Amino acid sequence: MKIILTGATGFVGEGVLLECLKDERVEKVLSISRKPCGHKHEKLEELITKDLLKLPEGDERLQGYDAMLYCAGISANGLSEQQYRPVTYDIPLHLAQILPDKELMTYVYLSGAGTTADSKMMWARVKAETENAIFAMPFKHSYALRPTIMKPSKGQLHVKKLDRIYLLFYPLMRLMNQANPLSEIGRAVINVLENGCDKQILESKDFRILSK
């Protein structure tokens, strides 16, 4: 399969990218980002653009793919909704709208645990709005990923201090089925792309099952 991926310069996107590059079922990955991801591989192609919102409809560089994995994201800490919304809603919806042959493609959106439309948390409401907008579009399949705590994969370059702090809670959360290695999430996503899934919203416990 051929995959478009965003977020390869971030924690989750990079982890998913590494699994895609290792998996023989993935023929090609087009990474869309504002800067190079730092990885080189014969299956990896990079589309560097300063403004993803300016990618035009009908862009030939986006043709011929089986899936879009939107794994880009930013923390909402200290941000207003006006600052947070572009990366979380505007860009993923713009990319969804300009993709050709939607009925042949699968769209996977990186959301987050606790996402609900009636949440008191701004980030959760925005992510829920994005999920629903993507689910309403005419893709072959569409899914939202709602991970909790994640463990980085070997070889990751983009791991922040906060990501490492969360690892203090990883063993306990893993026992509670609320944590995953990023390698497990990546494998789960690839398996879902190949085989489909009867759930649109995938959480920590689902990644563990679907990765096998």
Side-chain angles (χ1 to χ4, degrees):
M1 63 188 84
K2 296 180 180 180
I3 293 171
I4 301 171
L5 180 142
T6 69
T9 59
F11 182 53
V12 180
E14 182 184 28
V16 173
L17 170 66
L18 292 177
E19 288 305 307
C20 288
L21 296 180
K22 289 192 298 185
D23 197 301
E24 62 182 14
R25 292 170 294 177
V26 179
E27 177 184 346
K28 179 181 178 181
V29 179
L30 175 66
S31 170
I32 303 178
S33 62
R34 295 183 178 88
K35 58 184 180 180
C37 69
H39 294 279
K40 301 294 182 182
H41 195 281
E42 59 185 7
K43 294 197 291 189
L44 175 63
E45 181 179 329
E46 296 194 81
L47 194 171
I48 308 300
T49 176
K50 292 183 179 180
D51 189 349
L52 277 69
L53 288 170
K54 290 185 178 179
L55 288 175
E57 188 169 1
D59 193 321
E60 293 184 356
R61 295 172 294 182
L62 306 182
Q63 294 180 351
Y65 288 88
D66 303 293
M68 159 66 81
L69 309 183
Y70 189 88
C71 297
I74 55 173
S75 170
N77 292 337
L79 299 183
S80 66
E81 182 171 340
Q82 184 178 9
Q83 294 169 310
Y84 183 69
R85 180 172 281 270
V87 174
T88 310
Y89 180 89
D90 295 345
I91 295 176
L93 262 294
H94 174 71
L95 293 176
Q97 288 163 356
I98 68 173
L99 286 173
D101 302 322
K102 293 182 183 60
E103 68 280 1
L104 302 177
M105 291 190 71
T106 297
Y107 196 110
V108 179
Y109 172 68
L110 175 63
S111 188
T115 294
T116 56
D118 58 355
S119 175
K120 295 181 179 180
M121 306 296 291
M122 174 273 291
W123 68 264
R125 295 194 303 272
V126 175
K127 283 183 177 289
E129 186 179 349
T130 310
E131 288 181 356
N132 291 331
I134 291 170
F135 291 163
M137 299 184 77
F139 287 102
K140 178 182 177 181
H141 300 292
S142 53
Y143 304 98
L145 309 180
R146 293 186 180 178
T148 311
I149 291 178
M150 294 163 283
K151 182 179 180 181
S153 299
K154 183 178 180 181
Q156 282 203 237
L157 306 174
H158 307 291
V159 183
K160 297 179 180 179
K161 183 178 180 180
L162 184 60
D163 297 321
R164 298 189 187 281
I165 291 175
Y166 284 145
L167 290 177
L168 296 174
F169 306 97
Y170 181 86
L172 176 61
M173 296 297 283
R174 181 67 170 174
L175 288 173
M176 297 170 62
N177 221 5
Q178 292 296 315
N180 308 89
L182 270 170
S183 57
E184 190 171 74
I185 295 176
R187 289 195 304 273
V189 168
I190 295 169
N191 287 341
V192 167
L193 293 181
E194 182 178 45
N195 304 313
C197 181
D198 58 2
K199 298 176 67 175
Q200 277 192 298
I201 294 174
L202 307 178
E203 302 176 290
S204 293
K205 60 184 178 181
D206 301 309
F207 303 136
R208 199 165 187 167
I209 296 169
L210 292 168
S211 66
K212 298 177 181 178

